[in-house]
Amino acid sequence: MQVQIASDLHLDALQTKFPDSPALVPAPNADLLILAGDIHLGAAGVDRFADWPVPVVYVSGNHEAYGRGYSETVSEIAQRAQGTNIHYLERKAVELHGMRFLGCCLWTDYALYGDREKSMEYARETMSDHQSIVREDGSPFGPEEALAEHRQAIQWLVKELATPFRGKTVVITHHGVSPDSIHERFRDHPVNAGFLSDLRNLLPFADLWIHGHVHDSFDYRSGGARVIANPRGYPLNLASAQRDADLQWENRAFNPHCVVEL
């Protein structure tokens, strides 16, 4: 089984100037596309991939909820995906080709550096998530809400991973799962605690773990699992680009035809 992987396409950044820019090009011989979050605002990512030539497994990220409620966004995407070739996973599993795919946004536990309270306050002050996403009552979606989402995700993941399965297990999250997914230029930066958690204790229970969010590419092994991130990131020259073909993307290592064999 050939699986195409991408995340952080940030089509939301293009919707004003290049709304019809191709979202992605199907990889030759791919049997499945996995999207690991930050694809488009709200459920617009479903619309862009609803007619993809192969099934799509989609986990949303933080940016899908920008300018709206987080719970509302999750419900909207799930509803829009019904009846399409998209399997939207938010604390849900799907079995395809004899393999199980477990998916959730994940968020983080803010415990990467050992001082959760300090990391949460740093995230509140510096990360746009907590100004751009709201709760059901209209108040900001703060680090406390993100932590609550993370804890629910971990509880669900632990239960699912402990359930015996004869085939391979693929986990898809938007947020990262290991300090090994920190690029050297961000080593020890306080923002990392808001981007990933140290979940290396869960990696032995997965064959492949796919994530996004960090805007750098990774492909390594840890705890017996292969960990892959293939994010495109933000367009750096959006203001000056005359055509979408002229866009320069944040992650120069992004591979639009990233394919792994399972």
Side-chain angles (χ1 to χ4, degrees):
M1 183 182 185
Q2 301 284 335
V3 178
Q4 184 178 4
I5 298 169
S7 73
D8 301 88
L9 298 179
H10 284 289
L11 298 172
D12 49 303
L14 306 181
Q15 63 180 350
T16 299
K17 191 169 185 179
F18 301 117
D20 299 321
S21 178
L24 194 67
V25 176
N29 303 318
D31 303 299
L32 181 72
L33 171 64
I34 292 178
L35 299 173
D38 280 8
I39 304 304
H40 210 325
L41 288 176
V46 173
D47 297 335
R48 294 298 297 270
F49 287 91
D51 296 324
W52 201 252
V54 297
V56 179
V57 174
Y58 177 25
V59 165
S60 55
N62 50 309
H63 270 262
E64 272 85 349
Y66 271 33
R68 63 200 71 207
Y70 182 72
S71 298
E72 169 194 348
T73 300
V74 169
S75 297
E76 180 187 3
I77 298 173
Q79 183 176 12
R80 192 80 61 86
Q82 291 181 4
T84 72
N85 69 337
I86 296 176
H87 302 275
Y88 174 60
L89 305 183
E90 177 50 45
R91 300 199 293 270
K92 290 187 177 180
V94 64
E95 185 175 332
L96 300 167
H97 298 273
M99 304 177 193
R100 66 173 173 177
F101 297 83
L102 313 177
C104 57
C105 179
L106 186 63
W107 294 92
T108 76
D109 59 10
Y110 300 99
L112 187 65
Y113 296 125
D115 190 335
R116 175 176 285 138
E117 184 176 344
K118 182 178 180 180
S119 292
M120 290 176 71
E121 286 309 308
Y122 185 86
R124 191 192 316 278
E125 294 172 4
T126 62
M127 296 182 68
S128 57
D129 294 359
H130 306 306
Q131 289 79 48
S132 301
I133 306 173
V134 298
R135 301 167 61 189
E136 291 182 4
D137 62 3
S139 61
F141 179 89
E144 294 81 6
E145 285 70 43
L147 178 59
E149 288 287 336
H150 173 81
R151 286 172 169 164
Q152 291 183 61
I154 291 298
Q155 183 178 26
W156 175 80
L157 270 174
V158 168
K159 181 179 179 181
E160 291 292 325
L161 290 171
T163 302
F165 185 76
R166 301 186 68 176
K168 290 190 175 182
T169 295
V170 180
V171 182
I172 308 111
T173 60
H174 180 60
H175 291 69
V177 295
S178 168
D180 293 327
S181 291
I182 298 174
H183 193 280
E184 186 59 36
R185 71 185 185 281
F186 294 121
R187 189 66 56 187
D188 299 324
H189 195 291
V191 79
N192 292 327
F195 274 71
L196 54 84
S197 307
D198 188 350
L199 301 179
R200 286 176 289 185
N201 62 310
L202 297 183
L203 291 177
F205 301 96
D207 296 285
L208 174 63
W209 198 303
I210 299 164
H211 73 85
H213 199 45
V214 294
H215 289 197
D216 286 293
S217 295
F218 292 94
D219 188 347
Y220 58 88
R221 288 195 172 273
S222 179
R226 186 178 181 183
V227 180
I228 295 180
N230 184 42
R232 186 167 69 177
Y234 300 119
L236 300 179
N237 62 334
L238 182 60
S240 60
Q242 298 301 309
R243 304 173 303 155
D244 58 354
D246 299 328
L247 290 169
Q248 298 174 7
W249 295 94
E250 183 180 8
N251 180 19
R252 293 175 182 253
F254 172 70
N255 178 5
H257 285 166
C258 176
V259 173
V260 298
E261 184 173 356
L262 294 175

